[in-house]
Amino acid sequence: MFNKRKKINALLQSDEANYEATVMGWVRTFRNNQFIALNDGSTNNNLQVVAELGLLDDATLRRITTGACIKANGHIVPSLGKGQKVELKATSIEILGDSDAEKFPLQPKKHSLEFLRENAHIRFRTNTFGAIFRVRHSLAFAIHKFFNERGFVYVHTPIITGSDAEGAGEMFRVTTLPLDGSAEKNEDGSINYKEDFFGKSTNLTVSGQLEGELAAMAFSDIYTFGPTFRAENSNTTRHLAEFWMIEPEVAFNDLEDNMNLAEDFIKYIIRYAMEHNADDLAFLSLRLEEEEKAKPQAERSEMGLLEKLNFVVNNEFERLTYTEAIRILKDSNHNKKKKFQYLIEDWGADLQSEHERYLVEKHFKKPVILTDYPKDIKSFYMRMNEDGKTVAAMDILAPGIGEIVGGSQREERLDKLLARMKEMHVPAEELDFYLDTRRFGSCPHAGFGLGFERLVLFVTGMTNIRDVIPFPRYPKSAAF
Ligand code: ATP
Ligand code: MN
């Protein structure tokens, strides 16, 4: 067997020494023709591989360059160097893959995040992105663990959807019809989608919620975790055209149960990452500290990354209604001094991210759950409150990010749901399958959508969403 190797993470975690081991990985640096810093991605920490003078011929030494892949055999011995308990004293080194030092995009120096985004195919091999994507993995794993421990069924909702009434955003069309104008037309000049692959117009999903609700009406507790797509021209640091969403849907939950679930869930997965990715988060915390030093004092965050994560898992989220939030915003000095781009004047206004961030970062200084929004700024499926003006919606707002979760108790009463759909011009014919849940054994239920990348942003302390998904898709960019 070729791959009889020890992972660097396992080697470094143990104090054990004086045994034989084989390691494989990529060279980060090579000093004094002797000391190789080797990384295999299992940890942010490098293993020091020592090639004693005379072990290798000149030709081999020249091939140990940053980026090259090597296999090293030798003895694990206690290290005299700082910062590591053990190192590998090599008895043989084999070059598995050369890397031309002149051409390899990563040099042993600091690169800008922009440069690394352009070289996303290779950025996995940096400390920063190694840490980010190991944390991303842990969060994804913890999500499944959390729901599995609570008896939720993981449901795969379709990526290609036939309903264009999901209502969560602009959709990407899926078609095999020719784009050169030769596609068959109807009498009124519109495209005849009967000729298209699925015999109808189809899109990439913007949310799995509607299908998730169908499953919740059988399993009680379900969640989805999959890619979603939005063709919005949002060039922000918080929007992607392709992102992953987690959408639990729970029968017999009301809005308060929904908030409790969301809060427990977020705390659980953050705790999991803190326990399992301590080194990565410590590294990212230092990275953030460095980045913040470049900012003016007033713009720096009050807490470091680890401090912030600890604070979030150990404190309750602030819960208040939209109406209370509007009062706070309207009375704020920020509003009075016209510091908001969009001034808050009347009840009913949609909150912009500047308002959300004011509430979270300036006023409460902790995550906030806003509930009971005006019905006109929310989706048709949210449950109408007694007042006839607001719906049982909840958004969770996180420091530095803004909206991270959007959810609601769903309207389970058929007549009320139909009335809302009519008011909002949602075509009932197209959603007949959805309405069936209200016709046959309807029940109170609630759910939410959490944008996975926004959560990864929050946990890693990164500031641009394009840096927390391996190959980001956004307007005018689908590289790799
Ligand atoms: P926003 O107002 O920030 O655009 P939204 O109201 O469109 O969000 P929802 O439709 O409620 O968001 O989607 C649920 C969750 O999915 C959001 O809370 C957010 O975490 C995430 N999300 C929404 N749009 C995007 C996007 N374009 N890129 C990444 N995550 C997103
Ligand atoms: Mn949006």
Side-chain angles (χ1 to χ4, degrees):
M1 190 171 59
F2 174 71
N3 194 355
K4 229 173 151 188
R5 64 165 179 144
K6 272 266 249 214
K7 287 216 186 189
I8 290 174
N9 192 27
L11 282 177
L12 293 181
Q13 268 182 4
S14 128
D15 285 331
E16 222 182 303
N18 306 315
Y19 62 96
E20 293 278 309
T22 301
V23 295
M24 300 183 208
W26 293 268
V27 175
R28 286 290 174 84
T29 56
F30 185 33
R31 285 186 300 118
N32 297 349
N33 260 350
Q34 265 193 85
F35 303 107
I36 305 168
L38 194 71
N39 191 283
D40 68 0
S42 59
T43 161
N44 234 5
N45 303 310
N46 301 324
L47 176 71
Q48 171 148 289
V49 175
V50 186
E52 296 211 321
L53 296 175
L55 174 72
L56 301 170
D57 56 44
D58 283 353
T60 310
L61 284 173
R62 272 196 297 276
R63 294 171 67 195
I64 303 177
T65 52
T66 297
C69 186
I70 66 166
K71 170 179 178 179
N73 264 311
H75 306 287
I76 295 294
V77 296
S79 177
L80 300 175
K82 269 209 310 253
Q84 71 229 346
K85 287 182 240 167
V86 294
E87 63 188 32
L88 184 97
K89 199 170 155 216
T91 48
S92 72
I93 289 179
E94 188 186 326
I95 311 288
L96 298 178
D98 288 288
S99 173
D100 183 337
E102 297 292 311
K103 295 190 183 132
F104 186 56
L106 302 178
Q107 300 300 318
K109 62 158 198 176
K110 205 169 157 54
H111 293 286
S112 73
L113 293 172
E114 290 74 20
F115 172 84
L116 293 171
R117 216 172 288 142
E118 283 159 22
N119 289 278
H121 58 303
I122 226 114
R123 68 180 176 171
F124 287 126
R125 292 205 215 165
T126 63
N127 283 334
T128 299
F129 288 91
I132 292 169
F133 292 119
R134 273 187 301 272
V135 170
R136 184 180 164 112
H137 159 79
S138 279
L139 293 169
F141 182 79
I143 286 165
H144 288 299
K145 187 165 146 58
F146 174 88
F147 287 121
N148 188 54
E149 282 168 5
R150 283 160 186 76
F152 282 60
V153 173
Y154 177 31
V155 176
H156 293 106
T157 52
I159 289 170
I160 298 174
T161 169
S163 75
D164 51 13
E166 288 170 356
E170 292 297 311
M171 302 182 108
F172 287 101
R173 181 176 294 291
V174 175
T175 183
T176 54
L177 290 175
L179 293 173
D180 59 6
S182 66
E184 203 178 297
K185 306 252 169 43
N186 296 314
E187 274 171 17
D188 64 1
S190 59
I191 302 278
N192 179 7
Y193 284 107
K194 290 210 177 71
E195 295 299 314
D196 204 351
F197 188 90
F198 295 106
K200 64 184 292 197
S201 152
T202 49
N203 297 291
L204 291 179
T205 185
V206 291
S207 153
Q209 182 202 318
L210 299 188
E211 290 93 348
E213 281 187 58
L214 312 182
M217 294 298 107
F219 300 107
S220 320
D221 308 77
I222 69 99
Y223 70 107
T224 73
F225 184 5
T228 48
F229 307 84
R230 298 199 182 171
E232 329 170 279
N233 200 3
S234 303
N235 265 302
T236 77
T237 52
R238 301 176 304 115
H239 288 90
L240 289 164
E242 176 181 299
F243 63 100
W244 287 64
M245 189 141 68
I246 299 102
E247 295 181 281
E249 193 67 39
V250 183
F252 320 118
N253 264 11
D254 66 10
L255 190 65
E256 193 185 351
D257 299 321
N258 203 29
M259 287 191 269
N260 293 342
L261 177 69
E263 188 170 337
D264 287 349
F265 170 60
I266 291 172
K267 288 176 173 171
Y268 178 101
I269 51 188
I270 293 178
R271 255 190 216 113
Y272 184 90
M274 291 171 79
E275 271 170 36
H276 292 83
N277 296 74
D279 284 354
D280 290 324
L281 291 175
F283 175 84
L284 290 167
S285 191
L286 279 177
R287 192 207 70 86
L288 184 62
E289 230 172 86
E290 286 296 314
E291 190 182 87
E292 296 252 304
K293 278 186 195 152
K295 290 188 192 166
Q297 192 81 38
E299 283 171 36
R300 294 184 199 164
S301 29
E302 285 170 30
M303 287 186 206
L305 179 62
L306 295 176
E307 215 182 336
K308 177 187 83 175
L309 295 177
N310 263 308
F311 179 84
V312 166
V313 298
N314 292 319
N315 285 281
E316 292 192 349
F317 296 4
E318 190 72 33
R319 299 181 183 191
L320 71 159
T321 65
Y322 165 90
T323 305
E324 289 163 333
I326 286 287
R327 203 172 301 134
I328 290 170
L329 290 167
K330 208 174 158 181
D331 293 345
S332 67
N333 277 332
H334 225 71
N335 200 51
K336 288 179 183 153
K337 290 189 184 153
K338 302 200 189 319
K339 282 198 195 152
F340 287 128
Q341 198 185 340
Y342 295 89
L343 294 181
I344 294 284
E345 274 152 19
D346 300 311
W347 188 91
D350 204 353
L351 298 182
Q352 305 295 325
S353 100
E354 55 175 344
H355 307 128
E356 297 177 344
R357 294 185 67 165
Y358 177 86
L359 288 170
V360 171
E361 287 157 33
K362 297 266 177 334
H363 192 83
F364 291 111
K365 297 181 191 282
K366 52 152 86 167
V368 167
I369 313 186
L370 284 188
T371 63
D372 304 291
Y373 283 74
K375 64 176 193 257
D376 294 330
I377 57 171
K378 287 290 177 185
S379 306
F380 71 92
Y381 49 72
M382 298 192 178
R383 192 176 197 277
M384 187 67 70
N385 287 329
E386 296 283 302
D387 60 13
K389 280 168 37 188
T390 59
V391 288
M394 60 149 209
D395 280 5
I396 302 187
L397 315 176
I401 316 276
E403 181 186 332
I404 189 163
V405 163
S408 67
Q409 185 172 343
R410 319 303 189 189
E411 182 57 82
E412 82 283 13
R413 299 160 295 187
L414 182 62
D415 54 333
K416 293 219 159 42
L417 183 57
L418 283 169
R420 277 306 283 156
M421 288 170 76
K422 204 162 170 200
E423 270 172 41
M424 298 179 79
H425 309 292
V426 179
E429 331 70 77
E430 281 201 34
L431 290 178
D432 209 49
F433 69 94
Y434 180 69
L435 292 168
D436 265 359
T437 54
R438 275 55 170 183
R439 295 189 180 110
F440 308 116
S442 190
C443 75
H445 62 287
F448 61 84
L450 176 134
F452 186 49
E453 284 74 20
R454 297 224 182 139
L455 178 83
V456 183
L457 266 184
F458 184 73
V459 176
T460 57
M462 298 301 291
T463 42
N464 192 327
I465 199 163
R466 297 169 187 178
D467 292 333
V468 298
I469 188 165
F471 302 105
R473 270 81 183 93
Y474 50 93
K476 301 280 177 287
S477 175
F480 312 106

